[in-house]
Amino acid sequence: MYVIRLADGTLRVPQSLSSDDGRLIGNAYMELSPGDPDYDRWLPEALTEEEMAERRRRWREENDELEREFLAFKAEQDG
């Protein structure tokens, strides 16, 4: 999950909720507005929605070699 910067400057910061024994209950985003005490801490790693879409597009288009390597590794492990 990534920190997402919306057009109005709001940041969506990933947050996980876990039980007392450490089991993951769920993931969500909390929103931080400019002026929020934690805003400046998260801003440097925030990506716009367009940057996120570009990363997803590049990953889908450019992962062929990595996928081949993984499938070869998996076949080696299975066989």
Side-chain angles (χ1 to χ4, degrees), residues 24-47:
L24 179 66
I25 294 174
N27 292 315
Y29 282 96
M30 64 179 198
E31 292 192 353
L32 300 176
S33 299
D36 187 286
D38 290 327
Y39 187 88
D40 290 336
R41 183 179 77 158
W42 291 104
L43 184 60
E45 64 184 90
L47 300 171

PDB file of all heavy atoms in Angstrom, residues 24-47:
ATOM      1  N   LEU A  24      -3.851  -9.968  11.532  1.00  0.00           N
ATOM      2  CA  LEU A  24      -4.345  -8.852  10.734  1.00  0.00           C
ATOM      3  C   LEU A  24      -5.865  -8.907  10.643  1.00  0.00           C
ATOM      4  O   LEU A  24      -6.439  -9.924  10.270  1.00  0.00           O
ATOM      5  CB  LEU A  24      -3.749  -8.903   9.321  1.00  0.00           C
ATOM      6  CG  LEU A  24      -4.193  -7.805   8.379  1.00  0.00           C
ATOM      7  CD1 LEU A  24      -3.685  -6.442   8.854  1.00  0.00           C
ATOM      8  CD2 LEU A  24      -3.699  -8.096   6.973  1.00  0.00           C
ATOM      9  N   ILE A  25      -6.499  -7.812  10.992  1.00  0.00           N
ATOM     10  CA  ILE A  25      -7.958  -7.713  10.887  1.00  0.00           C
ATOM     11  C   ILE A  25      -8.330  -7.065   9.557  1.00  0.00           C
ATOM     12  O   ILE A  25      -9.247  -7.489   8.890  1.00  0.00           O
ATOM     13  CB  ILE A  25      -8.543  -6.920  12.074  1.00  0.00           C
ATOM     14  CG1 ILE A  25      -8.310  -7.707  13.365  1.00  0.00           C
ATOM     15  CG2 ILE A  25     -10.018  -6.630  11.854  1.00  0.00           C
ATOM     16  CD1 ILE A  25      -8.710  -6.954  14.613  1.00  0.00           C
ATOM     17  N   GLY A  26      -7.587  -6.028   9.176  1.00  0.00           N
ATOM     18  CA  GLY A  26      -7.891  -5.371   7.908  1.00  0.00           C
ATOM     19  C   GLY A  26      -6.950  -4.227   7.617  1.00  0.00           C
ATOM     20  O   GLY A  26      -6.195  -3.771   8.485  1.00  0.00           O
ATOM     21  N   ASN A  27      -6.984  -3.777   6.370  1.00  0.00           N
ATOM     22  CA  ASN A  27      -6.212  -2.622   5.920  1.00  0.00           C
ATOM     23  C   ASN A  27      -7.181  -1.541   5.476  1.00  0.00           C
ATOM     24  O   ASN A  27      -8.241  -1.842   4.927  1.00  0.00           O
ATOM     25  CB  ASN A  27      -5.312  -3.003   4.742  1.00  0.00           C
ATOM     26  CG  ASN A  27      -4.205  -3.937   5.150  1.00  0.00           C
ATOM     27  OD1 ASN A  27      -3.555  -3.733   6.162  1.00  0.00           O
ATOM     28  ND2 ASN A  27      -3.981  -4.973   4.360  1.00  0.00           N
ATOM     29  N   ALA A  28      -6.790  -0.311   5.682  1.00  0.00           N
ATOM     30  CA  ALA A  28      -7.621   0.815   5.277  1.00  0.00           C
ATOM     31  C   ALA A  28      -6.712   2.013   5.035  1.00  0.00           C
ATOM     32  O   ALA A  28      -5.495   1.941   5.234  1.00  0.00           O
ATOM     33  CB  ALA A  28      -8.639   1.145   6.356  1.00  0.00           C
ATOM     34  N   TYR A  29      -7.287   3.097   4.592  1.00  0.00           N
ATOM     35  CA  TYR A  29      -6.565   4.353   4.446  1.00  0.00           C
ATOM     36  C   TYR A  29      -7.166   5.377   5.402  1.00  0.00           C
ATOM     37  O   TYR A  29      -8.375   5.456   5.543  1.00  0.00           O
ATOM     38  CB  TYR A  29      -6.693   4.899   3.018  1.00  0.00           C
ATOM     39  CG  TYR A  29      -5.804   4.215   2.014  1.00  0.00           C
ATOM     40  CD1 TYR A  29      -6.274   3.180   1.233  1.00  0.00           C
ATOM     41  CD2 TYR A  29      -4.486   4.621   1.851  1.00  0.00           C
ATOM     42  CE1 TYR A  29      -5.455   2.557   0.309  1.00  0.00           C
ATOM     43  CE2 TYR A  29      -3.661   4.011   0.930  1.00  0.00           C
ATOM     44  CZ  TYR A  29      -4.153   2.977   0.155  1.00  0.00           C
ATOM     45  OH  TYR A  29      -3.339   2.363  -0.754  1.00  0.00           O
ATOM     46  N   MET A  30      -6.305   6.139   6.055  1.00  0.00           N
ATOM     47  CA  MET A  30      -6.787   7.284   6.826  1.00  0.00           C
ATOM     48  C   MET A  30      -6.398   8.530   6.042  1.00  0.00           C
ATOM     49  O   MET A  30      -5.394   8.536   5.332  1.00  0.00           O
ATOM     50  CB  MET A  30      -6.203   7.312   8.231  1.00  0.00           C
ATOM     51  CG  MET A  30      -4.727   7.490   8.325  1.00  0.00           C
ATOM     52  SD  MET A  30      -4.227   7.523  10.053  1.00  0.00           S
ATOM     53  CE  MET A  30      -2.635   8.271   9.894  1.00  0.00           C
ATOM     54  N   GLU A  31      -7.202   9.561   6.123  1.00  0.00           N
ATOM     55  CA  GLU A  31      -6.948  10.775   5.367  1.00  0.00           C
ATOM     56  C   GLU A  31      -6.344  11.837   6.266  1.00  0.00           C
ATOM     57  O   GLU A  31      -6.808  12.065   7.383  1.00  0.00           O
ATOM     58  CB  GLU A  31      -8.229  11.279   4.713  1.00  0.00           C
ATOM     59  CG  GLU A  31      -8.714  10.358   3.609  1.00  0.00           C
ATOM     60  CD  GLU A  31      -9.807  10.970   2.753  1.00  0.00           C
ATOM     61  OE1 GLU A  31     -10.298  12.069   3.085  1.00  0.00           O
ATOM     62  OE2 GLU A  31     -10.146  10.336   1.744  1.00  0.00           O
ATOM     63  N   LEU A  32      -5.281  12.476   5.752  1.00  0.00           N
ATOM     64  CA  LEU A  32      -4.623  13.576   6.451  1.00  0.00           C
ATOM     65  C   LEU A  32      -4.695  14.806   5.568  1.00  0.00           C
ATOM     66  O   LEU A  32      -4.356  14.751   4.387  1.00  0.00           O
ATOM     67  CB  LEU A  32      -3.148  13.252   6.720  1.00  0.00           C
ATOM     68  CG  LEU A  32      -2.843  12.035   7.577  1.00  0.00           C
ATOM     69  CD1 LEU A  32      -1.336  11.817   7.659  1.00  0.00           C
ATOM     70  CD2 LEU A  32      -3.432  12.185   8.959  1.00  0.00           C
ATOM     71  N   SER A  33      -5.119  15.918   6.141  1.00  0.00           N
ATOM     72  CA  SER A  33      -5.202  17.184   5.411  1.00  0.00           C
ATOM     73  C   SER A  33      -3.982  18.032   5.727  1.00  0.00           C
ATOM     74  O   SER A  33      -3.358  17.866   6.781  1.00  0.00           O
ATOM     75  CB  SER A  33      -6.457  17.951   5.829  1.00  0.00           C
ATOM     76  OG  SER A  33      -7.604  17.198   5.527  1.00  0.00           O
ATOM     77  N   PRO A  34      -3.626  18.948   4.809  1.00  0.00           N
ATOM     78  CA  PRO A  34      -2.531  19.865   5.138  1.00  0.00           C
ATOM     79  C   PRO A  34      -2.824  20.544   6.475  1.00  0.00           C
ATOM     80  O   PRO A  34      -3.953  20.910   6.774  1.00  0.00           O
ATOM     81  CB  PRO A  34      -2.563  20.879   3.986  1.00  0.00           C
ATOM     82  CG  PRO A  34      -3.183  20.121   2.849  1.00  0.00           C
ATOM     83  CD  PRO A  34      -4.194  19.205   3.491  1.00  0.00           C
ATOM     84  N   GLY A  35      -1.826  20.634   7.307  1.00  0.00           N
ATOM     85  CA  GLY A  35      -2.009  21.196   8.640  1.00  0.00           C
ATOM     86  C   GLY A  35      -2.132  20.133   9.707  1.00  0.00           C
ATOM     87  O   GLY A  35      -1.953  20.415  10.896  1.00  0.00           O
ATOM     88  N   ASP A  36      -2.427  18.892   9.322  1.00  0.00           N
ATOM     89  CA  ASP A  36      -2.472  17.787  10.276  1.00  0.00           C
ATOM     90  C   ASP A  36      -1.052  17.562  10.809  1.00  0.00           C
ATOM     91  O   ASP A  36      -0.086  17.688  10.075  1.00  0.00           O
ATOM     92  CB  ASP A  36      -2.971  16.519   9.570  1.00  0.00           C
ATOM     93  CG  ASP A  36      -3.198  15.388  10.545  1.00  0.00           C
ATOM     94  OD1 ASP A  36      -2.192  14.816  11.019  1.00  0.00           O
ATOM     95  OD2 ASP A  36      -4.363  15.082  10.825  1.00  0.00           O
ATOM     96  N   PRO A  37      -0.900  17.262  12.110  1.00  0.00           N
ATOM     97  CA  PRO A  37       0.440  17.097  12.685  1.00  0.00           C
ATOM     98  C   PRO A  37       1.320  16.062  11.972  1.00  0.00           C
ATOM     99  O   PRO A  37       2.529  16.224  11.917  1.00  0.00           O
ATOM    100  CB  PRO A  37       0.162  16.660  14.124  1.00  0.00           C
ATOM    101  CG  PRO A  37      -1.216  17.129  14.422  1.00  0.00           C
ATOM    102  CD  PRO A  37      -1.950  17.121  13.113  1.00  0.00           C
ATOM    103  N   ASP A  38       0.743  15.005  11.392  1.00  0.00           N
ATOM    104  CA  ASP A  38       1.536  13.972  10.716  1.00  0.00           C
ATOM    105  C   ASP A  38       1.682  14.194   9.217  1.00  0.00           C
ATOM    106  O   ASP A  38       2.368  13.433   8.539  1.00  0.00           O
ATOM    107  CB  ASP A  38       0.900  12.592  10.945  1.00  0.00           C
ATOM    108  CG  ASP A  38       1.046  12.121  12.374  1.00  0.00           C
ATOM    109  OD1 ASP A  38       2.064  12.456  13.004  1.00  0.00           O
ATOM    110  OD2 ASP A  38       0.138  11.423  12.858  1.00  0.00           O
ATOM    111  N   TYR A  39       1.065  15.249   8.698  1.00  0.00           N
ATOM    112  CA  TYR A  39       1.050  15.485   7.253  1.00  0.00           C
ATOM    113  C   TYR A  39       2.458  15.579   6.667  1.00  0.00           C
ATOM    114  O   TYR A  39       2.784  14.897   5.689  1.00  0.00           O
ATOM    115  CB  TYR A  39       0.259  16.751   6.945  1.00  0.00           C
ATOM    116  CG  TYR A  39       0.039  17.008   5.479  1.00  0.00           C
ATOM    117  CD1 TYR A  39      -1.057  16.465   4.828  1.00  0.00           C
ATOM    118  CD2 TYR A  39       0.914  17.797   4.740  1.00  0.00           C
ATOM    119  CE1 TYR A  39      -1.280  16.698   3.482  1.00  0.00           C
ATOM    120  CE2 TYR A  39       0.712  18.032   3.393  1.00  0.00           C
ATOM    121  CZ  TYR A  39      -0.388  17.480   2.769  1.00  0.00           C
ATOM    122  OH  TYR A  39      -0.598  17.711   1.429  1.00  0.00           O
ATOM    123  N   ASP A  40       3.308  16.408   7.254  1.00  0.00           N
ATOM    124  CA  ASP A  40       4.656  16.622   6.718  1.00  0.00           C
ATOM    125  C   ASP A  40       5.507  15.359   6.768  1.00  0.00           C
ATOM    126  O   ASP A  40       6.410  15.187   5.957  1.00  0.00           O
ATOM    127  CB  ASP A  40       5.362  17.762   7.451  1.00  0.00           C
ATOM    128  CG  ASP A  40       4.749  19.115   7.129  1.00  0.00           C
ATOM    129  OD1 ASP A  40       4.124  19.240   6.055  1.00  0.00           O
ATOM    130  OD2 ASP A  40       4.894  20.040   7.937  1.00  0.00           O
ATOM    131  N   ARG A  41       5.230  14.481   7.699  1.00  0.00           N
ATOM    132  CA  ARG A  41       5.984  13.231   7.813  1.00  0.00           C
ATOM    133  C   ARG A  41       5.691  12.312   6.626  1.00  0.00           C
ATOM    134  O   ARG A  41       6.567  11.623   6.132  1.00  0.00           O
ATOM    135  CB  ARG A  41       5.637  12.536   9.118  1.00  0.00           C
ATOM    136  CG  ARG A  41       6.432  11.271   9.356  1.00  0.00           C
ATOM    137  CD  ARG A  41       6.062  10.669  10.655  1.00  0.00           C
ATOM    138  NE  ARG A  41       4.774   9.986  10.493  1.00  0.00           N
ATOM    139  CZ  ARG A  41       4.346   9.027  11.283  1.00  0.00           C
ATOM    140  NH1 ARG A  41       5.062   8.672  12.324  1.00  0.00           N
ATOM    141  NH2 ARG A  41       3.203   8.444  11.070  1.00  0.00           N
ATOM    142  N   TRP A  42       4.446  12.289   6.154  1.00  0.00           N
ATOM    143  CA  TRP A  42       4.037  11.384   5.075  1.00  0.00           C
ATOM    144  C   TRP A  42       4.183  11.968   3.679  1.00  0.00           C
ATOM    145  O   TRP A  42       4.270  11.236   2.700  1.00  0.00           O
ATOM    146  CB  TRP A  42       2.585  10.949   5.286  1.00  0.00           C
ATOM    147  CG  TRP A  42       2.418  10.069   6.465  1.00  0.00           C
ATOM    148  CD1 TRP A  42       1.907  10.407   7.688  1.00  0.00           C
ATOM    149  CD2 TRP A  42       2.786   8.691   6.571  1.00  0.00           C
ATOM    150  NE1 TRP A  42       1.927   9.325   8.533  1.00  0.00           N
ATOM    151  CE2 TRP A  42       2.465   8.253   7.862  1.00  0.00           C
ATOM    152  CE3 TRP A  42       3.350   7.787   5.682  1.00  0.00           C
ATOM    153  CZ2 TRP A  42       2.687   6.959   8.295  1.00  0.00           C
ATOM    154  CZ3 TRP A  42       3.581   6.484   6.096  1.00  0.00           C
ATOM    155  CH2 TRP A  42       3.243   6.082   7.390  1.00  0.00           C
ATOM    156  N   LEU A  43       4.198  13.293   3.562  1.00  0.00           N
ATOM    157  CA  LEU A  43       4.206  13.957   2.256  1.00  0.00           C
ATOM    158  C   LEU A  43       5.367  13.529   1.344  1.00  0.00           C
ATOM    159  O   LEU A  43       5.138  13.287   0.158  1.00  0.00           O
ATOM    160  CB  LEU A  43       4.196  15.483   2.439  1.00  0.00           C
ATOM    161  CG  LEU A  43       4.113  16.296   1.156  1.00  0.00           C
ATOM    162  CD1 LEU A  43       2.844  15.963   0.376  1.00  0.00           C
ATOM    163  CD2 LEU A  43       4.167  17.782   1.493  1.00  0.00           C
ATOM    164  N   PRO A  44       6.603  13.390   1.833  1.00  0.00           N
ATOM    165  CA  PRO A  44       7.704  13.046   0.917  1.00  0.00           C
ATOM    166  C   PRO A  44       7.532  11.725   0.171  1.00  0.00           C
ATOM    167  O   PRO A  44       8.040  11.571  -0.937  1.00  0.00           O
ATOM    168  CB  PRO A  44       8.933  12.989   1.829  1.00  0.00           C
ATOM    169  CG  PRO A  44       8.584  13.852   2.993  1.00  0.00           C
ATOM    170  CD  PRO A  44       7.104  13.669   3.177  1.00  0.00           C
ATOM    171  N   GLU A  45       6.826  10.767   0.739  1.00  0.00           N
ATOM    172  CA  GLU A  45       6.660   9.485   0.045  1.00  0.00           C
ATOM    173  C   GLU A  45       5.328   9.351  -0.682  1.00  0.00           C
ATOM    174  O   GLU A  45       5.031   8.301  -1.244  1.00  0.00           O
ATOM    175  CB  GLU A  45       6.874   8.327   1.001  1.00  0.00           C
ATOM    176  CG  GLU A  45       5.875   8.232   2.125  1.00  0.00           C
ATOM    177  CD  GLU A  45       6.236   7.111   3.076  1.00  0.00           C
ATOM    178  OE1 GLU A  45       6.975   7.384   4.032  1.00  0.00           O
ATOM    179  OE2 GLU A  45       5.772   5.985   2.857  1.00  0.00           O
ATOM    180  N   ALA A  46       4.539  10.418  -0.703  1.00  0.00           N
ATOM    181  CA  ALA A  46       3.217  10.371  -1.331  1.00  0.00           C
ATOM    182  C   ALA A  46       3.330  10.414  -2.850  1.00  0.00           C
ATOM    183  O   ALA A  46       4.164  11.105  -3.421  1.00  0.00           O
ATOM    184  CB  ALA A  46       2.372  11.541  -0.841  1.00  0.00           C
ATOM    185  N   LEU A  47       2.469   9.638  -3.509  1.00  0.00           N
ATOM    186  CA  LEU A  47       2.358   9.613  -4.963  1.00  0.00           C
ATOM    187  C   LEU A  47       0.970  10.089  -5.356  1.00  0.00           C
ATOM    188  O   LEU A  47      -0.004   9.823  -4.653  1.00  0.00           O
ATOM    189  CB  LEU A  47       2.548   8.191  -5.485  1.00  0.00           C
ATOM    190  CG  LEU A  47       3.868   7.506  -5.173  1.00  0.00           C
ATOM    191  CD1 LEU A  47       3.810   6.049  -5.573  1.00  0.00           C
ATOM    192  CD2 LEU A  47       4.998   8.210  -5.887  1.00  0.00           C
TER     193      LEU A  47
END
